[in-house]
């Protein structure tokens, strides 16, 4: 079964699980419990779901759901379900924002700008002992890649989902230093945007807009204000770095960059991206705070001059599989199971060896990412 939908991981993940050796029908043998429910369309009643789980036995109540796993594909991740009833549960989602998601516009006719400074308001709350609720609970939830951009035969607006790792014709010279294609300003065509410029300023948390306005004219920077439909996968495959910014919630550009051999430049302040808590992303990705974005040309050129680009691209030739779900190439499912195994073993971290292309989940057994799947 193919899952071409942008929000389809809640359908794909249970299918992978059911076709793996990690599942049991004997609840007393289980280390974890997967809750097979679609958590985006339609929005679910969590209290009714928990009531149903409680009716099936003592497993929810014994750990208050801490060993239960939900997949949430909604744009704001856990913030779509801000209910205390699942605060102990594990969410697999795509949006690792550590603060609450606030979409109300910062109308400077009505508000002091400091009220819209998320870092300032979070720091004030922390100093007063009020730790704010975020869209991601670190070391509990897992930020995973989304499921799209993997199907060779889809009828998609950007064309076939080709990648240099599977399609030899896409192994092309990388002539763009930085690439981005997509929406910049959501409301620029609306009349009210002329007198209310802050109406869409929070889109992408300011990252896309900052990079575009500062650098769209730079040589080697191909920054487009609309989606490049017919040339998108070609453009990704001919670029050294690709901007990985969020939208109003999670974005897919981290995945499309890595799986096309383009080093992601992550500009998502306060937001954990996929696998950031599981893998040493610095081996094949670059994270830059927004306040440093004005130095982007110098930073990227330094990465080229120092030889880091070649090292990161070599690492990506292994790790792209960890951002891909579809069989037989995808190993994102294996990394989820590896992380769950690590937690059971009480180990500090997963060991990734990009040279050998292996994972060690904590027991010394090497998971060889190029030699089959379901091998955790």
């Amino acid at each position: 079964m193919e899952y071409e939908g942008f929000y389809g991981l809640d359908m794909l993940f249970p299918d992978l699980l059911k076709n793996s050796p990690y599942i049991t029908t004997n609840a007393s043998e289980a280390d974890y419990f997967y809750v097979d429910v679609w958590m985006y369309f339609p929005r679910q009643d969590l209290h009714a779901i928990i009531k149903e789980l409680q009716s099936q036995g003592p497993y929810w109540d014994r750990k208050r759901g801490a060993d239960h796993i939900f997949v949430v594909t909604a744009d704001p991740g856990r913030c779509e379900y801000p209910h205390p009833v699942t605060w102990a549960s594990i969410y697999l989602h795509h949006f690792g924002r550590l603060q609450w998601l606030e979409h109300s516009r910062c109308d400077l006719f009505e508000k002091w700008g400091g009220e819209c400074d998320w870092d300032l308001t979070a720091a004030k709350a922390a100093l007063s002992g009020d730790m704010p609720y975020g869209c991601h609970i670190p070391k509990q939830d897992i930020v995973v890649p989304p499921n799209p951009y993997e199907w060779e035969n889809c009828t998609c607006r950007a064309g076939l989902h080709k990648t240099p790792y599977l399609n030899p014709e896409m192994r092309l010279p990388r002539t763009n230093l930085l690439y981005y294609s997509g929406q910049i300003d959501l409301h620029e065509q609306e009349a009210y945007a002329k007198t209310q410029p802050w109406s869409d300023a929070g889109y992408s948390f300011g990252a896309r807009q900052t990079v575009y306005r500062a650098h769209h004219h730079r040589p080697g920077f191909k920054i487009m204000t609309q989606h490049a439909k017919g040339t998108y996968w070609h453009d990704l495959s001919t670029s050294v770095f690709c901007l990985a910014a969020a939208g109003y919630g999670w974005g897919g550009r981290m995945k499309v960059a890595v799986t096309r051999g383009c080093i992601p430049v992550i500009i998502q302040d306060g937001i954990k991206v996929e696998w950031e808590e599981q893998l040493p992303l610095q081996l094949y990705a670059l994270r830059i705070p927004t306040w440093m974005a004005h130095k982007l040309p110098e930073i990227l050129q330094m990465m080229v001059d120092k030889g880091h680009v070649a090292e990161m691209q070599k690492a990506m030739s292994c790790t792209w599989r960890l951002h891909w779900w579809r069989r037989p190439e995808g190993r994102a499912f294996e990394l989820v199971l590896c992380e769950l195994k690590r937690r059971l073993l009480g180990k500090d971290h997963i060991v990734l060896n990009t040279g050998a292309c292996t994972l060690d989940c904590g027991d010394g057994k090497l998971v060889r990412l190029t030699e089959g799947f379901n091998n955790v």
Side-chain angles (χ1 to χ4, degrees), residues 65-287:
D67 51 3
H68 283 60
I69 299 169
F70 295 82
V71 170
V72 178
T73 61
D75 293 85
R78 181 180 276 274
C79 276
E80 182 77 2
Y81 288 93
H83 304 298
V85 68
T86 60
W87 277 359
S89 300
I90 300 167
Y91 275 36
L92 306 185
H93 60 174
H94 311 311
F95 190 56
R97 182 169 169 80
L98 301 181
Q99 298 178 27
W100 180 253
L101 186 62
E102 178 59 69
H103 278 326
S104 62
R105 65 183 183 180
C106 185
D107 189 333
L108 297 178
F109 291 145
E110 301 174 357
K111 291 183 178 180
W112 171 242
E115 297 176 51
C116 309
D117 185 326
W118 291 316
D119 291 337
L120 184 60
T121 54
K124 284 182 175 180
L127 289 171
S128 66
D130 179 19
M131 295 303 293
Y133 178 81
C135 300
H136 173 73
I137 302 177
K139 299 183 179 181
Q140 176 178 314
D141 299 332
I142 306 175
V143 184
V144 299
N147 70 291
Y149 315 123
E150 298 181 3
W151 301 277
E152 297 177 359
N153 299 316
C154 77
T155 53
C156 313
R157 64 180 180 180
L160 298 181
H161 291 163
K162 292 187 176 182
T163 165
Y165 298 118
L166 299 177
N167 308 104
E169 69 273 19
M170 301 301 288
R171 296 167 191 166
L172 303 167
R174 296 187 179 271
T175 54
N176 301 315
L177 183 60
L178 179 71
Y179 177 70
Y180 171 79
S181 167
Q183 195 80 29
I184 301 293
D185 297 300
L186 286 183
H187 302 165
E188 62 182 346
Q189 302 302 323
E190 304 294 337
Y192 63 80
K194 305 299 182 183
T195 57
Q196 302 175 46
W198 45 77
S199 64
D200 61 356
Y203 180 61
S204 187
F205 306 93
R208 305 182 191 190
Q209 300 90 324
T210 297
V211 172
Y212 173 74
R213 285 172 170 75
H215 304 303
H216 72 276
H217 62 286
R218 304 273 187 181
F221 280 42
K222 187 173 183 178
I223 304 176
M224 306 173 68
T225 59
Q226 298 293 331
H227 288 286
K229 297 180 180 179
T231 64
Y232 187 54
W233 307 110
H234 176 275
D235 292 342
L236 290 165
S237 300
T238 54
S239 300
V240 179
F241 294 96
C242 292
L243 179 63
Y248 262 138
W250 64 268
R253 287 176 175 80
M254 171 76 177
K255 172 176 179 165
V256 296
V258 172
T259 55
R260 272 70 193 180
C262 188
I263 300 168
V265 178
I266 304 160
I267 304 182
Q268 299 191 37
D269 294 357
I271 302 171
K272 298 270 190 177
V273 297
E274 57 200 65
W275 304 137
E276 190 162 358
E277 294 179 333
Q278 284 71 44
L279 298 177
L281 293 187
Q282 67 270 21
L283 294 179
Y284 60 98
L286 183 64
R287 179 183 268 279

Side-chain angles (χ1 to χ4, degrees), residues 1-5 7-16 34 36 38 71 73 147:
M1 181 176 180
E2 296 283 12
Y3 302 90
E4 293 188 21
Y7 302 96
L9 189 62
D10 51 5
M11 294 182 284
L12 173 59
F13 189 86
D15 191 48
L16 291 169
Y34 179 71
D36 192 359
W38 294 356
V71 170
T73 61
N147 70 291

